[in-house]
Amino acid sequence: LSETGRMLRGASSRSLVVVDELGRGTSTHDGIALAWAVLRHCAHVVQCVGFFSTHYHQLTRDVRADAALSRLVRCQHMAAAVDSAQQTVTFLYKLVDGVCDDSQGMAVARMAHVPADVVEHARRVSADVAVVARFLQLATQLDE
């Protein structure tokens, strides 16, 4: 985070800011919060051009839900060809508009030769976490 601090202190509206995976090494909640705050600061305060790479899917949903920020930030993702039957992913190295539908983490784990029983266990845990996350998202919407 020391690089992030230096970047934010030195950036101007004439800067090109590149941020890759901000929040690594923090808890998920802290990482998302830091990434969100840095993105908002770059867009609203510094008003610079930037490239912000993140694995936090929630961050892209938050950008789209924030009317002021969504006018300043364009969500894009790296295109991939997914073969569900073969459970393979080919990364196309092409930036396309929109938010990535899925992380493809399990397919990538299989392609990296992670043992099948480990990937299967991870898939079940991921499905459980997704259910809880969706529940929390719905609960938040009810509070609004």
Side-chain angles (χ1 to χ4, degrees):
L1 288 173
S2 59
E3 295 90 355
T4 302
R6 281 193 300 277
M7 174 197 70
L8 292 175
R9 288 189 305 277
S12 74
S13 61
R14 297 176 49 99
S15 296
L16 170 62
V17 171
V18 178
V19 179
D20 182 31
E21 299 295 352
L22 178 65
R24 286 274 168 112
T26 66
S27 72
T28 300
H29 294 84
D30 286 352
I32 291 172
L34 286 164
W36 178 246
V38 168
L39 180 61
R40 287 183 54 83
H41 183 82
C42 287
H44 291 298
V45 177
V46 179
Q47 298 179 338
C48 60
V49 172
F51 182 83
F52 200 97
S53 171
T54 184
H55 62 283
Y56 297 126
H57 290 255
Q58 180 62 43
L59 195 61
T60 58
R61 287 189 291 272
D62 292 344
V63 165
R64 291 182 297 174
D66 184 316
L69 196 57
S70 66
R71 287 191 298 276
L72 301 171
V73 175
R74 189 165 122 194
C75 290
Q76 294 184 305
H77 68 278
M78 190 64 65
V82 178
D83 184 334
S84 299
Q86 297 295 319
Q87 298 180 341
T88 60
V89 178
T90 303
F91 296 99
L92 303 177
Y93 299 97
K94 179 181 179 184
L95 214 50
V96 295
D97 286 330
V99 176
C100 185
D101 294 332
D102 193 8
S103 73
Q104 303 303 328
M106 300 308 153
V108 172
R110 280 186 191 87
M111 293 167 57
H113 305 289
V114 173
D117 60 321
V118 173
V119 175
E120 179 55 27
H121 181 74
R123 186 198 61 74
R124 287 192 309 268
V125 170
S126 178
D128 291 346
V129 169
V131 168
V132 171
R134 181 69 179 139
F135 173 78
L136 292 173
Q137 182 182 17
L138 292 171
T140 301
Q141 290 172 354
L142 289 175
D143 283 344
E144 294 173 351

